[in-house]
Amino acid sequence: MRVAHGFTQLELAEKLGISLRTYQRIEYGQQKPNVHVVIRLQKLFQKDIDILIKEIGE
């Protein structure tokens, strides 16, 4: 989703209010995002929360 919307990792991390390292861990599947990050992602990408959670889990 990030690349499809033209964001760098740093840009998206800043929009989500998290560190670049935390974002990278989430993107690489080393860490699950907390509920606040999921909500921010949902608002930013305007995706159904169920679909977004499934995509994050992949």
Side-chain angles (χ1 to χ4, degrees):
M1 284 187 300
R2 172 184 63 81
V3 174
H5 284 85
F7 293 118
T8 66
Q9 288 182 337
L10 180 58
E11 289 170 333
L12 190 50
E14 289 174 348
K15 288 186 179 298
L16 297 173
I18 58 177
S19 71
L20 174 60
R21 184 68 187 129
T22 298
Y23 177 79
Q24 289 171 331
R25 287 182 185 139
I26 293 168
E27 184 169 297
Y28 300 137
Q30 299 168 342
Q31 177 178 332
K32 296 288 185 190
N34 67 35
V35 68
H36 302 289
V37 171
V38 173
I39 291 168
R40 288 183 198 128
L41 282 168
Q42 188 273 329
K43 288 179 181 178
L44 182 65
F45 293 123
Q46 298 181 354
K47 284 206 160 205
D48 182 86
I49 196 82
D50 293 330
I51 293 169
L52 183 64
I53 289 172
K54 286 179 186 175
E55 288 181 7
I56 292 170
E58 293 178 354

